[in-house]
Amino acid sequence: MKIETNHIVKKYGDKVVLDLNGQYSRLLFESGKITGIIGSNGSGKTTLMKIMAGLISAIDGEVRYDGQTFDQDIAMKITYANQRPVLFSRSIYENIAYPLRIRKYPEEEINRIVRGLLEEFEIADIQKQNAKHLSGGESQKTALARALSFSPEVVFLDEPTASIDPKSVQVIEAALKRRNADTGLTVIIITHNLAQAFRLCDRLVFLNQGECLLYDTTEKMRQAQNTTIQEFISFNAF
């Protein structure tokens, strides 16, 4: 699914937190690509992602999904996961199965899909554990497996690997790249990890104080002459 934003503006009270009306007033998140959103804390990254995911509304501008406006059909094709996943007080298996159950998948199909995800995310041996009692890496792997269970067209990820162990990061990144290559999954990810951004992403959006300073390939981002971008990359060098 292709997502296009046009002239997005968002305020909280009198404070403008996002104002995409400059050079990059139109952002195109291409179908089947991995796009990263980077920038300092408070730059508007999560606000932009939540608007695109239909979780909050902009006060101006529009978002189009393959040329259409947001509706329930679109909502059923996308999924959102953040760095503090909300998991049910049930087993890992049942957490992953939940999106399939509400979509009324046959039980045999649910079992096949969930078991495949448990193996892929290396959590099959703890599948009966209550998801409320997991480590950070286990929680994130469970949350992403759940998000991918129903084969969405778009996955929005807000810092999915922040503060988790390197092995879990590797498993999560591999799963995203595999889905992107095999099914054309559109991935939109917020990350403060520049090494991750350059490993995973085809293109990057750089936000600063609610404005977009650059939207281009990872290579062009590395070579950007903008002082704010240079300082950000230098400070977060890997």
Side-chain angles (χ1 to χ4, degrees):
M1 182 187 296
K2 174 182 69 177
I3 300 177
E4 183 179 356
T5 69
N6 289 288
H7 301 280
I8 297 294
V9 178
K10 179 65 176 178
K11 287 184 179 180
Y12 288 111
D14 293 329
K15 182 180 180 181
V16 177
V17 295
L18 196 64
D19 187 356
L20 303 183
N21 275 307
Q23 178 182 357
Y24 299 99
S25 60
R26 174 181 174 272
L27 298 177
L28 178 62
F29 295 82
E30 297 178 70
S31 179
K33 300 292 185 182
I34 301 179
T35 304
I37 304 176
I38 62 174
S40 301
N41 289 335
S43 59
K45 301 185 299 297
T46 296
T47 298
L48 175 59
M49 179 171 282
K50 285 185 174 180
I51 289 171
M52 289 193 293
L55 299 176
I56 60 175
S57 300
I59 65 166
D60 198 9
E62 66 173 359
V63 183
R64 292 275 177 173
Y65 309 81
D66 285 340
Q68 306 299 311
T69 56
F70 190 84
D71 58 19
Q72 190 59 33
D73 287 341
I74 298 294
M76 295 296 285
K77 297 176 182 178
I78 67 177
T79 191
Y80 180 98
N82 62 32
Q83 68 184 85
R84 296 181 181 86
V86 178
L87 299 174
F88 304 121
S89 186
R90 301 176 186 173
S91 69
I92 291 173
Y93 182 101
E94 287 302 325
N95 269 270
I96 298 172
Y98 178 75
L100 303 172
R101 295 199 193 286
I102 64 173
R103 288 170 173 80
K104 302 188 185 306
Y105 278 58
E107 195 62 32
E108 183 177 333
E109 184 74 354
I110 291 174
N111 189 57
R112 183 188 66 79
I113 292 171
V114 174
R115 291 196 179 283
L117 288 164
L118 288 166
E119 292 293 337
E120 180 179 9
F121 284 90
E122 301 181 3
I123 48 178
D125 58 334
I126 57 170
Q127 63 180 285
K128 294 181 180 180
Q129 284 192 27
N130 189 305
K132 288 291 188 180
H133 305 137
L134 301 177
S135 69
E138 292 164 348
S139 293
Q140 286 293 7
K141 288 190 287 187
T142 300
L144 186 55
R146 181 177 65 183
L148 296 174
S149 64
F150 64 97
S151 299
E153 293 186 22
V154 182
V155 58
F156 294 97
L157 302 171
D158 190 346
E159 292 285 350
T161 60
S163 304
I164 66 174
D165 61 284
K167 177 58 177 175
S168 294
V169 173
Q170 184 180 27
V171 169
I172 287 171
E173 289 186 3
L176 292 173
K177 289 191 285 188
R178 189 179 302 114
R179 288 300 192 298
N180 178 250
D182 293 348
T183 71
L185 175 68
T186 301
V187 180
I188 301 172
I189 181 171
I190 293 172
T191 179
H192 281 101
N193 185 331
L194 277 182
Q196 181 177 72
F198 289 132
R199 279 197 305 270
L200 279 180
C201 300
D202 300 294
R203 299 179 72 86
L204 293 169
V205 174
F206 189 96
L207 297 183
N208 180 63
Q209 297 182 351
E211 298 180 1
C212 181
L213 299 188
L214 186 65
Y215 170 53
D216 215 317
T217 64
T218 53
E219 189 58 34
K220 289 292 180 65
M221 191 69 67
R222 289 178 190 267
Q223 300 170 357
Q225 298 302 304
N226 181 282
T227 301
T228 300
I229 297 175
Q230 286 182 334
E231 289 178 351
F232 180 85
I233 291 176
S234 177
F235 184 77
N236 292 281
F238 49 89

